[in-house]
Amino acid sequence: MASQDSEEKHSESIANALPALKDSSDSAISESEWTTTRVELWSFYVFYIGNNGLSGFNFGPSQFQNLLFLAGYDPSQPPFTSACGDGDCVLPYLGKVRNINAIVLLTNGISFAIQAALLLLIGAWADYGRWRPNITIFFTILAVAVSFAWLGVDDPSQWRAGIPLYILGLITYQCTLTFWTAAFPGLVRDLPEVKESLTQVKHGKKGLEAHTKLISLSRNRVSNISFTIQSLGEVLILVVMVGILKGINSDSSTEANTKAFSVLIAFSGGVWLLVAFPWFFFEKRRPGLQLPPGTTILAVGFKQAYVAFRECLKLKQTFLYLIFYFLMGDVLNTTVTVVGTLQNSLVSYSTLQLTLLLIVGIVAQAIGIYTFWLVQKRFGISTKTMLTFNACWIIVLTIWGLIGVHTDKFGFKHVWEVWAYQVFYGVLVCPWYAYSQTMISEVSPLPQMFLFFALFSVVGKTSAFIGPFVSSAIIEDSSNNNMPFSFLLALGAFSMIFLWFVDVPRSRIECEEFIQAESERKAFETKASARETPTDV
């Protein structure tokens, strides 16, 4: 909650901003060529149906673990003399014989480490010129190509070939998602109702506080609707996949099941390409920042990350949220990966079972995200409150897994639990992906929104490879696949402290002061700066 002093300062800041608004050019908004149309907005929504993670985040990792299991051997017997059963399963990997679950986590960490380095290099390109749409198109096409490449990897002897496909699948999925998400602030800023609201503020017909609330609700609306539409579209894709699996008799043999994995990955890639085309054509190429003098496009990413982090230190609330996002993002990413490895083993890598589980999970996700949005809209609940409620259920998820360290009766040890997990995760945990992104825009100054989105994206990917590395080491040391939940529970509980101290009203004041100071020294000059004002924050 904001203190009375923060509220008074925020009111004073609003009062000081109004004269500048009234003196600014009214035509700056009405004559702007950048207005978000319904076609562009729905193209944004539909693209997300394809960028759903089925190929790179769901079936790709499952196929990789399936190949490892079929190629692995029981460590209690001489190497490669006894196939894996209900006990431990190992393979030589990176100079050491490792548990296959540890191999998955380690490879996952390598993938996210590459992503972090890649985004440091090219993540800033979302902010400069008009190149970001081209980067989205590039990673989308590469992701689809990787999906089709899995058709050639459907035998246990090819598990090593699955390593680069697994890594590339995760990288292309996450990078496409990152550059697609970068369009979000501009889309909301250019919504007709938001632009009209700002015009009313300039003419003194509407208060700045009401305008700020409209922006916040608009961000949540676009974010939550995009997730809901993606969920509904993904369910339709999964239903078609069930038909495909029945048609090819995936449950007839282990070989048929393994080939079915690759077919599903390729199919999801094809659908992705199909639904991506509208966004390729209808996204407006909004102008971004100009390259700083003396800076090359190859160096600007590292410079931008440094500048964004330096500037973030001036914004206390933004920095507090950055720490929370770093820690809780790591907890969730690693938890989902660990649960996924346990789930794959419990259902014996059955493509049909995993597809049905995903259908349940995605339906629950659509219900959860849209219900969260309806409740927020009905009662006018703040983004931070919704995010806090949502994050608590992530902590509960780690407790659920930790119980399995001490008993076989609970803790992702039974098939019924993974069905329950899909419902729990979809309804109560998945809203994280909407609210955590929206919260970034709540605590970041709009003229540099892409800059801070890039910083948070890099931070998110950096945290995402730390957790898998640590969890892999814990599994190797303890020989218990549930033991990583102890680390994840402690880290998640610690991260909540930083979210608790984030003061959103105070953040608006800090952002307004930051924008004014930066504009005076022209640290972030944009081609569209004449059309942006502090009230857009």
Side-chain angles (χ1 to χ4, degrees):
M1 296 292 290
S3 65
Q4 184 177 357
D5 181 58
S6 293
E7 292 174 352
E8 290 175 352
K9 287 182 178 179
H10 185 46
S11 297
E12 181 181 352
S13 177
I14 291 172
N16 291 337
L18 284 174
L21 282 174
K22 293 176 180 178
D23 293 339
S24 64
S25 172
D26 292 339
S27 64
I29 294 298
S30 60
E31 295 183 1
S32 171
E33 61 178 309
W34 308 112
T35 299
T36 302
T37 63
R38 289 183 62 84
V39 172
E40 183 184 18
L41 186 60
W42 274 91
S43 296
F44 177 80
Y45 292 153
V46 170
F47 180 89
Y48 199 23
I49 295 175
N51 194 18
N52 51 41
L54 285 178
S55 57
F57 193 72
N58 295 117
F59 289 117
S62 295
Q63 172 70 314
F64 179 55
Q65 188 180 354
N66 174 54
L67 294 175
L68 293 177
F69 177 79
L70 295 175
Y73 62 89
D74 186 338
S76 64
Q77 304 296 323
F80 298 104
T81 59
S82 180
C84 295
D86 295 332
D88 205 2
C89 183
V90 299
L91 274 173
Y93 186 70
L94 296 180
K96 182 180 178 181
V97 175
R98 304 176 188 271
N99 178 289
I100 64 168
N101 287 357
I103 292 175
V104 173
L105 284 165
L106 185 58
T107 309
N108 189 276
I110 292 171
S111 172
F112 279 111
I114 295 172
Q115 287 176 46
L118 187 61
L119 286 172
L120 273 173
L121 177 64
I122 70 171
W125 295 3
D127 303 339
Y128 295 93
R130 302 171 187 264
W131 305 318
R132 183 185 48 75
N134 295 335
I135 302 172
T136 304
I137 292 171
F138 170 78
F139 277 115
T140 301
I141 293 175
L142 183 57
V144 171
V146 171
S147 299
F148 283 110
W150 273 106
L151 289 172
V153 181
D154 56 7
D155 186 270
S157 64
Q158 299 172 304
W159 70 270
R160 290 181 178 83
I163 296 173
L165 293 182
Y166 173 58
I167 292 174
L168 280 173
L170 284 174
I171 290 174
T172 52
Y173 161 67
Q174 293 287 353
C175 286
T176 304
L177 193 61
T178 296
F179 285 97
W180 170 82
T181 303
F184 167 69
L187 281 175
V188 175
R189 179 197 61 202
D190 291 342
L191 286 170
E193 59 268 31
V194 173
K195 295 175 68 175
E196 173 62 25
S197 176
L198 181 57
T199 301
Q200 291 179 10
V201 174
K202 288 185 174 185
H203 287 102
K205 297 179 181 180
K206 186 175 186 177
L208 187 56
E209 190 69 35
H211 174 67
T212 302
K213 186 174 182 179
L214 173 66
I215 293 174
S216 178
L217 287 175
S218 297
R219 288 169 179 162
N220 280 287
R221 175 172 61 85
V222 172
S223 180
N224 283 283
I225 289 178
S226 68
F227 275 90
T228 302
I229 291 174
Q230 183 261 4
S231 300
L232 295 175
E234 190 172 354
V235 168
L236 292 177
I237 295 172
L238 289 167
V239 169
V240 174
M241 286 181 169
V242 172
I244 292 174
L245 294 175
K246 293 291 186 180
I248 62 178
N249 296 317
S250 62
D251 281 347
S252 62
S253 67
T254 299
E255 292 75 15
N257 185 70
T258 302
K259 290 181 182 298
F261 267 121
S262 295
V263 171
L264 295 186
I265 296 170
F267 175 74
S268 63
V271 173
W272 186 355
L273 183 62
L274 180 66
V275 298
F277 277 118
W279 181 241
F280 291 169
F281 289 107
F282 291 114
E283 181 188 7
K284 293 182 175 64
R285 294 177 176 260
R286 293 171 173 83
L289 300 169
Q290 296 181 8
L291 281 174
T295 303
T296 66
I297 191 64
L298 293 178
V300 72
F302 297 95
K303 182 175 181 179
Q304 186 196 58
Y306 165 74
V307 171
F309 185 74
R310 183 194 68 197
E311 302 303 329
C312 190
L313 293 176
K314 300 177 183 178
L315 301 168
K316 181 181 177 182
Q317 310 309 316
T318 310
F319 187 61
L320 286 172
Y321 183 65
L322 180 71
I323 298 174
F324 164 76
Y325 186 76
F326 177 91
L327 297 175
M328 187 58 81
D330 189 21
V331 171
L332 181 56
N333 287 328
T334 309
T335 297
V336 170
T337 302
V338 173
V339 174
T341 60
L342 297 174
Q343 174 180 274
N344 291 338
S345 178
L346 285 171
V347 301
S348 302
Y349 307 96
S350 167
T351 50
L352 182 58
Q353 286 287 314
L354 289 173
T355 303
L356 293 175
L357 281 167
L358 279 172
I359 290 176
V360 171
I362 300 304
V363 170
Q365 173 182 296
I367 294 172
I369 291 174
Y370 199 67
T371 300
F372 267 62
W373 160 240
L374 289 178
V375 171
Q376 181 185 24
K377 181 181 179 181
R378 172 67 177 82
F379 297 101
I381 303 173
S382 69
T383 302
K384 179 190 171 182
T385 301
M386 298 298 294
L387 181 61
T388 302
F389 177 74
N390 170 241
C392 288
W393 295 109
I394 299 176
I395 303 297
V396 172
L397 192 58
T398 63
I399 296 173
W400 183 355
L402 183 59
I403 294 173
V405 173
H406 306 289
T407 178
D408 288 333
K409 296 180 179 180
F410 198 72
F412 303 110
K413 297 298 182 72
H414 306 279
V415 174
W416 69 264
E417 285 186 90
V418 298
W419 287 96
Y421 159 74
Q422 290 294 340
V423 176
F424 178 92
Y425 175 74
V427 173
L428 296 171
V429 176
C430 278
W432 158 271
Y433 299 105
Y435 285 106
S436 63
Q437 291 291 326
T438 304
M439 189 67 179
I440 296 173
S441 64
E442 295 277 317
V443 296
S444 301
L446 183 70
Q448 293 81 44
M449 190 69 75
F450 285 166
L451 183 78
F452 284 89
F453 259 85
L455 174 64
F456 276 87
S457 182
V458 170
V459 163
K461 298 303 178 289
T462 302
S463 69
F465 73 78
I466 294 175
F469 283 155
V470 173
S471 297
S472 176
I474 290 174
I475 290 176
E476 285 292 309
D477 184 64
S478 65
S479 297
N480 189 314
N481 292 326
N482 286 70
M483 190 58 73
F485 289 112
S486 59
F487 160 71
L488 297 170
L489 172 60
L491 190 62
F494 178 65
S495 73
M496 293 295 289
I497 297 173
F498 297 95
L499 180 61
W500 177 264
F501 285 109
V502 173
D503 185 337
V504 176
R506 176 62 201 169
S507 178
R508 293 179 188 139
I509 298 171
E510 291 179 352
C511 287
E512 288 161 4
E513 294 172 346
F514 172 83
I515 291 168
Q516 183 176 1
E518 295 303 320
S519 64
E520 289 175 356
R521 61 190 190 96
K522 297 182 179 180
F524 301 97
E525 190 67 37
T526 69
K527 296 177 182 178
S529 60
R531 294 191 295 273
E532 295 171 341
T533 71
T535 59
D536 285 319
V537 178

